[in-house]
Amino acid sequence: KQINKTAIKGKEDIIYTDQKGVEDITHTDQKGVEDITHPALKGTPPKEGNWERDVEQFIRFHIVTPYLSEKENAILLNQKLDDIKVCDPAIGSGAFPIGMLQEIFEAKRFIYPYLKTNKDFKPAEVKKNIIQNSIYGVDLEKGAVDIAQLRFWLSLVVDELNPHPLPNLDYKIMQGNSLLESFEGIDLSQMGKTKSDIAIAEPERDLFGNIIESQMKMTFAKSETINEIQQLIKQFFTIEISEEKQAIRQQINALVLQHIEYNIELRENQLNRFINEAGNPDNLNRNARKKYDGYVADLEKIKDTKANLLKIQETDERPYFLWHLYFMDVFDQGGFDVMIGNPPYIQLQKEEGLLANLYEDKGFETFERTGDIYSLFYEGGIKLLKLNANLNYITSNKWLKANYGKSTREFFLKHQPIKIIDLGSGIFKTATVDTNILLIKKVKNSLGNKSVLGLNISEETIIKDINDFKDRWVLIENLSSDSWAILDAKEFNIKKQIENIGKPLNEWDNEIYRGILTGLNEAFIIDDEIKENLCLLDQENSKILKPILKGKNIKKYKAKWDKLWLIETHNGYKKLNGEIVPSIDINKYPRIKEYLEQFEPKLSNRGDKGVSPYNLRNCAYQDEFTKEKIVWADIAREPSFSYLGPNIYFNNTVYFIVGDSLKYLLTILNSRVIGFYFQKIGTDLGQDGGRYFKQFVELFPIPNIIEVKRKPYETLAEYLIYLNDPKQAPVLEKVSNEALSQVFEDVVNMMVYELYFEEEMKAAAIDVLQFVTEKAFPDITQAEDKKAIIQKVYYELQQKDNPIRNRILVASSKSETIARINAATS
């Protein structure tokens, strides 16, 4: 073979010329070819080839090495291309399978000259064979299936002088619900399996011919039905006459429906027998009556199932898909080689939870009622693969961090995640969600595999070639069911440094709790006017009226109280005269009870209530509200932690921390470092901020420094608490307290940076802790004139020779770490 490199318009053109001149193939590669060090490019062919390496380079760059150019190896490669089975379980208009068709076609075109055959290379015929033998797809929408089939036909037309009819795709690209191989509890997955895979058995019957109760929920198949269906499908692919094909298809559909009807009839007869044998339900004991009611309920469901079965017989569309029947040729070989696609993103709890109800009991390991349907497509797709085969989807990236994604992450760890590309939202302008691409291999059990190659290009807006980012892949190790962070190399190292220095908050001697869940805020949260009226009617009422904050009023270092009050009627329970009663007896507060009575029956119907409609549910950590605490709302644009004194309550959209070193923790939690870290592990809401759930906050790594070193942070916390207190008068006439607060926040951020990145800051001469002394920042905890002290410190910070001020100004230019964190949290 002759290999030439020719510069054409700045690109390298590699020309492969067959010795016999059968076909000249020119391949232009924009990137990466010059990086390939295969000996063939150096003019020194290897003595022995490396199949995996050579095939990978062939597929990626169409490089035919001397090893692959040998006839027997070329034939083997061509056969592998013929054998591959590819499926898109949510095919839509067919974009991904069309792309795969083109990839396989190009590979066959480039290997063709080395097959040493006298047959002509016929593009249309090659494409047709690929479509009929390698490409499979399913979609719930019949219209999408029609469009996908048309696109495949158009891909053939361009290579034909006289276009032929659309090839037979009836059992290749099909309509159906690819997530369900069952119909309302009746298993349909066994219909395509041979007797060697499953023992087809009739139900066991008692002496009277009735099936036994232990088999009540089982699905049964008649062996003659299964055999007849399989013979019909084999016959379907051997005939050409469309009318005959249509007749066979109708026969198959009729047999599938017959199988469903057979199982419905078995269950219906069984249930009717159990109900009749039970006798008068009023005479049954408690357990027997419960069983009887269950039979009656199941019989009603059977009636609905029969009605739904009649409906689907009136249309060509099916609410299930018979993978093992319709694609029997694939599963005879163990499953698909490749699953690709862009499955839908739909929250399961939308539309009153209709999708959640549909899939909840279908055996999905990744199912979460608060989750998304694409998780089920991940699981379903992997299960349809043969061992060591690959799935490659593009989906929303929320599973990486969201709480509902935990079961999805656990499922992936049972297999072998290979690569994840976090695309974010910048690449697809019309996308409504941030996206990612996952490549994962199906294995028997990969619990030992805890790593994946990750690439974060979420900030990119234009991608011409993924190889442009080959130096940005990062090996992400120690994966668990906790959130996965896909970062670039620098961000990954920053995150690791933060984790190495800090101790997770959940390992501190502190506790994290959630606010009050009343079940009916309109009743139990009252304004100041109602509170005053209730106290005027009875002063005793003030004992159970507590100030309460809403999450929206909690900001960084401050919380604005809207003068709202909680009718606090849950203090646990006590035993009185042998009965469990609430510690707070609402009857001792008749005026409050009278006020609450207007909210019946809502009070009685709520799920979160105590022993009476007027009581809140018992709270095990009731006493914690009486302590000093750090609070934050579950949704915030940035870290927004505030310090609160005792005896203040808040609703269930608020979390709080009690324990030691609260003011030290407050400065760290509100810092840019923690803001950056949260972006890497937490759930992002775009412009709305993030979800600061307990599961994320308790992972924040906080430096556990000795008590004496915490003092400067606690002092600065006092300054910031004072400046953000809406009750405090302005410290300066012409500068707002908010502006002053930002100056002191900048100081705190530099102090926190130094905790995590001390060596880097000292090397760049931007460390500040040496200047944060008690003299420079006096303690104002017991000071009579806090305002004057803060004013003096502020003026000193504004001096041109102040070392803290000057180091803040140059920090981003002297430290790439600080520059990155500042940019990410601005």
Side-chain angles (χ1 to χ4, degrees), residues 162-267:
N162 298 306
H164 290 75
L166 183 69
N168 174 31
L169 298 176
D170 284 355
Y171 282 93
K172 295 297 178 183
I173 300 173
M174 302 185 67
Q175 183 278 330
N177 185 340
S178 59
L179 293 177
L180 295 179
E181 202 167 5
S182 63
F183 178 73
E184 305 206 5
I186 298 170
D187 180 27
L188 305 176
S189 65
Q190 309 299 322
M191 302 190 70
K193 295 184 177 180
T194 62
K195 287 186 178 181
S196 61
D197 296 320
I198 179 173
I200 301 172
E202 295 286 350
E204 296 181 36
R205 300 179 184 271
D206 60 20
L207 293 175
F208 303 99
N210 301 303
I211 64 173
I212 61 176
E213 185 174 0
S214 62
Q215 296 187 332
M216 188 143 179
K217 297 295 184 181
M218 293 177 63
T219 299
F220 299 99
K222 293 181 178 180
S223 57
E224 61 266 26
T225 302
I226 298 296
N227 292 335
E228 187 175 356
I229 288 175
Q230 292 180 347
Q231 290 301 317
L232 284 169
I233 285 188
K234 290 178 182 178
Q235 183 182 352
F236 186 89
F237 290 108
T238 63
I239 58 178
E240 296 292 336
I241 301 172
S242 61
E243 291 79 5
E244 293 182 13
K245 286 181 178 291
Q246 181 63 22
I248 292 176
R249 184 169 186 176
Q250 289 175 355
Q251 285 180 267
I252 293 172
N253 286 335
L255 287 168
V256 171
L257 293 173
Q258 180 181 311
H259 168 80
I260 296 173
E261 289 171 341
Y262 172 64
N263 280 275
I264 291 175
E265 183 180 357
L266 285 176
R267 294 183 183 184

Side-chain angles (χ1 to χ4, degrees), residues 100-123:
M100 183 61 81
L101 163 65
Q102 201 61 36
E103 289 290 337
I104 297 173
F105 173 78
E106 287 298 312
K108 288 180 70 66
R109 186 166 72 89
F110 275 89
I111 201 62
Y112 173 77
Y114 305 95
L115 301 179
K116 306 292 192 298
T117 176
N118 293 325
K119 296 180 180 179
D120 294 334
F121 184 86
K122 298 178 180 179

Side-chain angles (χ1 to χ4, degrees), residues 562-578:
D562 285 340
K563 294 187 177 181
L564 296 177
W565 301 83
L566 172 70
I567 300 176
E568 202 287 287
T569 56
H570 69 308
N571 265 359
Y573 302 95
K574 64 183 179 182
K575 198 167 186 178
L576 182 65
N577 298 326

Side-chain angles (χ1 to χ4, degrees), residues 304-321:
D304 292 338
T305 299
K306 293 172 71 175
N308 292 335
L309 186 62
L310 287 173
K311 288 180 183 178
I312 70 171
Q313 293 183 49
E314 298 172 358
T315 175
D316 291 335
E317 299 187 10
R318 295 291 181 263
Y320 52 78
F321 187 72

